[in-house]
Amino acid sequence: MKIGLALSGGGARGFAHIGVLKALEEMGVKVDRIAGTSAGSIVGAFYAHGYKPDEMLSIISGMGILKSVRPAWSWTGFLSLDGFKEVLKKYLPENSFESLKLPLTIAATEIRLGKVVYFSEGELITPIIASSSIPAVFSPVTYQGNVYIDGGIMDNLPVRPLIGTCDFIIGVHTNPVGQKFDLKNAKDVTMRSLLMAINVNSTASKADCNVVIEPPALGAYSPLDISKAKEIFDIGYQYTKDNFTANDFQLTDYDRTQPA
């Protein structure tokens, strides 16, 4: 049985993906294929490369993501992720999908065509940056003649690339919308608005998963709470351990009768 893992976007909430991966490993769940958007593309790339969850937490939380962000000096966005690209090259030096130990697909949004594009071959790091480029915060990424922004705009939980290639699909969604919101500034309003809009396109994707892991406690964290990486990691890990067992990730007769 081949198990596919879809990892949503979510900014700093994506550290919960790493906690979920650690819990799945402890349960003996072996992932065969990964698809990721935004933060999910970063975690997916590191895991597919062969890094272990504890190692990933240490590396990604220590990468200085915000410190690597630079002014874009352009009307197209406020900040550039070019500095983050250089950081990624240190840990993913082969910079290709083909070098990964597990098949990986990354979702990004082609803004001019208004459609989602899935990358699974060739250069790795530019698609990661494209998938992570939150509109109005980071500059769009021009790649192979097209212009890309955050994949979450069109497909925040990229299950589609796993359908037909995997027998069992686990979706990890890190974007629950908290019920309490304090309006502090324009940045907070923008981030929450994007979060609510993105959640809409995740609904159908969740229906295509055999299991969805969505820790509700993540609603209390901002996508920019990178300094709380360990807390967020622990939430993903503990929620998975408390609410699932290895038996939940096995194909049943009921699952076999369900349409993809």
Side-chain angles (χ1 to χ4, degrees):
M1 181 180 76
K2 288 191 174 182
I3 295 179
L5 181 68
L7 302 175
S8 77
R13 294 174 173 184
F15 284 106
H17 289 317
I18 307 175
V20 172
L21 281 166
K22 181 175 181 178
L24 291 177
E25 283 196 348
E26 290 180 357
M27 294 178 196
V29 178
K30 180 181 177 295
V31 173
D32 297 285
R33 185 178 290 267
I34 304 172
T37 294
S38 197
S41 75
I42 299 171
V43 172
F46 273 72
Y47 195 68
H49 184 276
Y51 290 106
K52 302 299 288 183
D54 285 329
E55 189 178 14
M56 290 164 59
L57 174 64
S58 176
I59 292 173
I60 298 176
S61 62
M63 287 170 92
I65 295 173
L66 292 181
K67 292 180 181 179
S68 67
V69 170
R70 303 167 180 165
W73 307 115
S74 165
W75 65 269
T76 56
F78 298 123
L79 300 168
S80 166
L81 285 171
D82 286 346
F84 184 48
K85 181 184 294 188
E86 297 305 313
V87 174
L88 286 174
K89 285 180 180 178
K90 177 180 177 181
Y91 298 99
L92 303 169
E94 298 88 351
N95 192 19
S96 73
F97 283 92
E98 290 76 13
S99 69
L100 300 174
K101 293 184 173 72
L102 293 176
L104 172 69
T105 300
I106 291 174
T109 300
E110 212 299 341
I111 191 168
R112 295 182 303 182
L113 300 177
K115 70 174 187 179
V116 63
V117 175
Y118 300 106
F119 296 95
S120 58
E121 59 183 20
E123 184 182 346
L124 172 64
I125 291 176
T126 296
I128 292 175
I129 299 297
S131 182
S132 304
S133 295
I134 301 170
V137 177
F138 299 115
S139 291
V141 172
T142 300
Y143 181 55
Q144 297 179 339
N146 294 311
V147 182
Y148 297 99
I149 60 172
D150 196 301
I153 301 300
M154 296 293 292
D155 192 0
N156 194 50
L157 185 63
V159 173
R160 275 179 278 176
L162 303 175
I163 295 175
T165 62
C166 297
D167 305 299
F168 193 97
I169 298 175
I170 303 168
V172 186
H173 191 255
T174 61
N175 278 327
V177 179
Q179 299 303 303
K180 294 182 179 180
F181 174 66
D182 295 325
L183 196 159
K184 297 177 181 177
N185 52 50
K187 179 191 71 177
D188 291 339
V189 173
T190 299
M191 295 304 293
R192 185 171 175 84
S193 298
L194 280 170
L195 179 64
M196 291 189 294
I198 283 170
N199 263 2
V200 173
N201 72 53
S202 298
T203 302
S205 296
K206 291 178 185 178
D208 285 323
C209 297
N210 298 88
V211 172
V212 176
I213 301 174
E214 185 178 31
L218 294 176
Y221 293 84
S222 161
L224 300 177
D225 279 339
I226 293 177
S227 64
K228 298 178 180 178
K230 182 60 166 60
E231 290 179 36
I232 296 171
F233 167 91
D234 287 340
I235 288 172
Y237 173 79
Q238 203 58 52
Y239 179 81
T240 306
K241 295 285 283 188
D242 289 346
N243 292 276
F244 301 93
T245 68
N247 290 334
D248 292 311
F249 304 103
Q250 296 180 10
L251 198 63
T252 65
D253 290 337
Y254 175 78
D255 293 318
R256 292 189 183 98
T257 66
Q258 301 308 297

